[in-house]
Amino acid sequence: MSQDQTQEQSAAGLNEPGSTLNAKEDDFDILKAGYEELSARYATLLNERDILKAELEKLQLAIKQLIRARYGRKSERVDPEQLQLALEGLEQDVGAVTAAQEQAEAQVRKTRRPPERNRGHLPAHLERYEVVVDVADKTCPCCGGALHVIDEDVAEQLDVIPLRLRVRVTRRPRYGCRACAEAVVQAPAPERLITGGMATEALVAQVIVAKYADGLPLYRQARIYARDGIELDRSTLADWCGRAAWWLKPLWELLLTTVLSSPKIFCDDTHLPVLAPGRGKTKTGYLWGFARDDQPWAGELPPAVAYLYSEDRTYDRPKPQLAGFSGVLQVDGWGGFKRLTGGTEAGALILAFCWSHARRQFYEIHQATQSPIAGEVIARIAALYRIEDTIRGRPPDERVAVRQRESRPKVEALKVYLETQLGRISGKSTLATAIRYALNHWDGLCVFLSDGRVEIDTNTIERLHRSIATGRRNALFAGSDAGARSWAIFTSLIQSARLNGLDPFAYLKDVLEQIVSGRVKNHELARLLPWNWKAAQTAAPAA
């Protein structure tokens, strides 16, 4: 064999599998892959550390701000909105670090790309448009043949089109007769919500929902429209709302009557600052809420709430509305409610009081003084709430059976405990005041034990007050008593729509269109109550 042939065989042997050179290359690839994996894990741990640090700072800030809000000087207390703004900054920091972590992980994932996924599910009713990200060259890189689709990756993202204004152009052709020039025929102009105005029912509904459901004052809405070149004065928007309230008032009256005809309702008030004309300051008005929610005991009546405005808070303000009411009225411990039962027949009006209000005084005392007596009362009331969690949504008879078996012994023992402790402490202490409050309302607090329709508290109506509080904080006050009455009308319809799972904008838009156009007469307004409207909308596609 020649020398050249021997060298060729030796060189070829170095490239065979298992050779020393290939073994070194394999070891290098393994070490490189291990290094990249460790680097990726190290980067991930660093990012996780940054996220945890940001979360810790967020919680520490929240604790400090809450301590200031609870115990700080009045002038230094932090508004909850300011606290939210501070937390937003920290949450943005967390989001930025999370994005950096995701980007770092994407850099090292070269072998296999995980499937794209959405965080949550996007509703099917949302409009969808497609963006196709395709290859430019559809020829096979290996053989040059034509490529064909074998699969695709689909990812959905939530997109938005900012408030888009458009112009509705209404044309009414006029017709003449060639035989006689006298006749001119034209369809009558449709009725408008704003006579001679530019606003459609949809635009007015948008303004109403933005203010009374989302807490966006009219002057801020005017700025939003100005960005599209539409100059709308705040007073113009206020005029639209006032006119809409006039159209909706009969429906609101029907809603109020419907709620008050229920056998069991909640009643509570919340304050509303109202501008006092000529005085340069505001006065305190009140919105009285009457709510019906039978869902906790599987009742058949749909949920609803109706608000009524009054210029002050005296017991006779809700008295005319409750004059014909017969059933269970669940309220807080305000003394004015007790006076409502004075002129009614025995048993016609039953007052059920709220355990949450009774607990609140003990909670405040315990937070301030760490009183063991207050702590014990709080723990015993918490046991009642745990029982309620197990029976929510069950029929009244089942709820009563559980309450008689489990809750009644606890309630009776709590009364004995309160009476015993009242004799041991100073009668002038805040703790004694809290105990006397509970004992003075004891009969009303015990109504839930024998009536499965009654809830343990009035949180149902208090939760509905939140939208009023949001609007009150942002708008500061209602412009007049008439504006406050409009506030009651809009809040009643919006909150009742929400309770029945409706989009308030879609509901108000359609209701205004039907009322203004005359398609629904006053004696047919029951069709537009939220639950009836919902049933009609559900039946329409099926038909």
Side-chain angles (χ1 to χ4, degrees):
M1 182 180 294
S2 65
Q3 184 177 359
D4 293 339
Q5 292 175 337
T6 304
Q7 293 176 351
E8 290 176 0
Q9 290 177 357
S10 300
L14 292 175
N15 295 323
E16 292 178 356
S19 66
T20 303
L21 182 58
N22 284 335
K24 291 181 177 180
E25 290 179 351
D26 292 341
D27 291 342
F28 176 77
D29 291 339
I30 293 173
L31 291 174
K32 182 179 179 181
Y35 173 77
E36 291 177 349
E37 182 180 356
L38 290 174
S39 299
R41 290 179 59 189
Y42 178 69
T44 301
L45 290 173
L46 287 179
N47 283 301
E48 290 177 351
R49 182 202 64 183
D50 293 340
I51 291 175
L52 292 175
K53 286 178 61 178
E55 289 284 1
L56 179 61
E57 292 176 1
K58 171 183 167 184
L59 295 174
Q60 289 174 338
L61 174 63
I63 292 172
K64 291 179 181 178
Q65 300 283 30
L66 291 173
I67 290 175
R68 284 180 58 191
R70 183 69 178 86
Y71 300 108
R73 294 180 180 177
K74 188 174 182 180
S75 60
E76 297 179 355
R77 291 179 184 176
V78 180
D79 187 276
E81 292 295 322
Q82 295 179 352
L83 175 58
Q84 292 296 327
L85 291 175
L87 294 181
E88 283 178 9
L90 292 173
E91 288 163 352
Q92 290 174 10
D93 293 341
V94 174
V97 175
T98 303
Q101 180 178 4
E102 293 174 351
Q103 185 66 21
E105 293 174 351
Q107 294 289 339
V108 298
R109 289 198 298 265
K110 299 178 180 178
T111 56
R112 183 178 63 86
R113 186 181 64 179
E116 298 186 32
R117 59 187 176 89
N118 291 317
R119 296 179 181 271
H121 301 283
L122 300 181
H125 72 273
L126 294 179
E127 175 188 352
R128 280 165 167 75
Y129 68 96
E130 292 188 355
V131 176
V132 179
V133 181
D134 207 348
V135 295
D137 186 4
K138 296 182 181 179
T139 59
C140 178
C142 298
C143 66
L147 297 176
H148 66 279
V149 177
I150 58 174
D151 198 2
E152 66 177 356
D153 292 332
V154 179
E156 292 189 345
Q157 294 175 285
L158 190 60
D159 195 14
V160 65
I161 300 176
L163 180 63
R164 182 172 62 185
L165 298 174
R166 60 183 183 178
V167 178
R168 184 172 75 183
V169 180
T170 302
R171 300 184 183 276
R172 295 190 298 126
R174 286 193 296 271
Y175 295 91
C177 177
R178 296 186 184 277
C180 56
E182 300 296 329
V184 177
V185 179
Q186 186 182 35
E191 190 72 38
R192 291 189 181 186
L193 174 64
I194 313 296
T195 305
M198 69 171 73
T200 64
E201 291 80 5
L203 180 57
V204 175
Q206 170 63 30
V207 172
I208 292 171
V209 172
K211 179 179 179 180
Y212 297 98
D214 303 327
L216 193 62
L218 296 181
Y219 77 90
R220 294 183 187 173
Q221 294 190 53
R223 292 177 184 175
I224 294 174
Y225 294 121
R227 291 201 291 264
D228 273 335
I230 307 297
E231 297 296 335
L232 293 172
D233 190 73
R234 183 202 57 79
S235 61
T236 300
L237 299 179
D239 179 69
W240 292 356
C241 292
R243 292 173 182 267
W246 181 84
W247 285 99
L248 294 171
K249 185 178 178 180
L251 180 60
W252 164 78
E253 292 173 342
L254 177 61
L255 177 64
L256 178 61
T257 303
T258 303
V259 172
L260 292 174
S261 65
S262 308
K264 189 264 174 184
I265 62 174
F266 298 91
C267 180
D268 191 30
D269 65 279
T270 183
H271 72 278
L272 180 67
V274 180
L275 190 63
R279 297 170 57 187
K281 57 183 181 180
T282 61
K283 60 182 180 180
T284 302
Y286 290 88
L287 289 177
W288 299 82
F290 305 92
R292 175 181 73 192
D293 188 1
D294 296 350
Q295 298 175 91
W297 51 274
E300 297 181 353
L301 295 177
V305 61
Y307 282 92
L308 178 72
Y309 170 72
S310 68
E311 298 180 17
D312 53 31
R313 191 193 192 214
T314 57
Y315 87 98
D316 57 347
R317 290 301 183 184
K319 190 173 182 178
Q321 283 68 37
L322 296 171
F325 177 76
S326 177
V328 178
L329 182 67
Q330 188 149 16
V331 295
D332 58 25
W334 179 55
F337 289 123
K338 294 182 179 180
R339 300 177 66 179
L340 293 174
T341 61
T344 61
E345 298 180 5
L349 178 62
I350 300 174
L351 289 181
F353 291 126
C354 171
W355 277 93
S356 179
H357 281 78
R359 174 189 178 277
R360 190 172 300 164
Q361 298 187 48
F362 291 102
Y363 175 79
E364 292 174 353
I365 293 170
H366 186 262
Q367 288 292 102
T369 66
Q370 298 299 310
S371 165
I373 297 176
E376 177 65 19
V377 174
I378 293 171
R380 295 191 181 207
I381 295 176
L384 298 177
Y385 273 87
R386 285 193 293 271
I387 297 172
E388 292 300 304
D389 290 339
T390 65
I391 60 176
R392 186 163 288 108
R394 294 165 65 177
D397 54 345
E398 294 184 20
R399 286 158 62 94
V400 168
V402 174
R403 288 168 173 174
Q404 291 290 329
R405 183 176 64 253
E406 300 181 23
S407 299
R408 180 172 288 279
K410 290 180 171 57
V411 170
E412 292 174 349
L414 176 58
K415 184 180 182 182
V416 173
Y417 179 79
L418 291 174
E419 291 172 339
T420 302
Q421 299 304 322
L422 184 60
R424 297 177 176 177
I425 62 177
S426 170
K428 297 182 180 180
S429 65
T430 55
L431 182 58
T433 301
I435 294 176
R436 282 194 294 268
Y437 173 91
L439 293 176
N440 290 338
H441 294 83
W442 200 257
D443 290 341
L445 289 173
C446 293
V447 171
F448 83 106
L449 294 173
S450 56
D451 192 335
R453 303 170 303 169
V454 178
E455 284 289 272
I456 194 173
D457 54 36
T458 60
N459 289 350
T460 298
I461 183 66
E462 293 194 7
R463 284 192 296 267
L464 295 172
H465 291 341
R466 291 175 182 172
S467 67
I468 298 175
T470 300
R472 182 176 59 214
R473 183 168 56 247
N474 293 335
L476 300 183
F477 52 80
S480 64
D481 289 331
R485 293 186 185 95
S486 298
W487 202 312
I489 292 173
F490 295 137
T491 303
S492 301
L493 295 174
I494 288 173
Q495 291 289 60
S496 294
R498 282 177 164 174
L499 287 172
N500 287 272
L502 300 177
D503 174 11
F505 167 76
Y507 171 68
L508 280 183
K509 170 182 175 293
D510 187 69
V511 165
L512 285 171
E513 288 176 348
Q514 293 198 54
I515 292 177
V516 172
S517 66
R519 298 200 304 270
V520 174
K521 308 298 182 183
N522 279 348
H523 66 278
E524 301 173 322
L525 285 176
R527 290 164 44 189
L528 299 182
L529 291 172
W531 50 93
N532 293 331
W533 186 89
K534 180 180 180 180
Q537 296 296 312
T538 304

